[in-house]
Amino acid sequence: MPAPHPALAAAASPLSHVTASAAPLLAVHGTADDAVPIIQSETLVTTYWHAGADADFRWLDDVGHVYGLRTREAMITAEIDFLRTQFGAPGPRAGSAERN
């Protein structure tokens, strides 16, 4: 269904506001999500790349819109890795309390 006010919809879309100086983005999306089409996340990340902004995309195989603890742990690990990359932080030290 087309938006009743296309100009207003375009202005409200995050896609219209991505610039090279946008904050880094990590998009995580389940391939079995039946609530939000995966193309929306892919389009946002692609828009970041085309603008010269930093973005990463992680597909979660066979994961829907609602997920359990194991998927949450995988997402948190991806988020920590992404932040370490963005801030140039080293990984966990041997013997640290942080889980892999």
Side-chain angles (χ1 to χ4, degrees):
M1 168 184 268
H5 303 284
L8 187 57
S13 171
L15 300 175
S16 300
H17 304 283
V18 176
T19 66
S21 63
L25 171 74
L26 171 62
V28 180
H29 204 115
T31 60
D33 189 335
D34 59 358
V36 177
I38 199 166
I39 190 71
Q40 290 186 5
S41 294
E42 292 170 336
T43 300
L44 181 58
V45 170
T46 300
T47 301
Y48 261 67
W49 291 341
H50 284 238
D54 234 351
D56 191 7
F57 193 100
R58 304 288 172 93
W59 291 265
L60 299 176
D61 290 329
D62 300 319
V63 173
H65 194 72
V66 178
Y67 41 82
L69 180 60
R70 179 170 290 154
T71 299
R72 177 42 106 184
E73 289 174 348
M75 288 177 61
I76 290 171
T77 299
E79 292 161 357
I80 291 170
D81 290 345
F82 179 77
L83 291 171
R84 282 191 172 124
T85 299
Q86 292 303 313
F87 294 109
R93 292 178 297 199
S96 71
E98 184 175 346
R99 290 178 36 189
N100 292 332

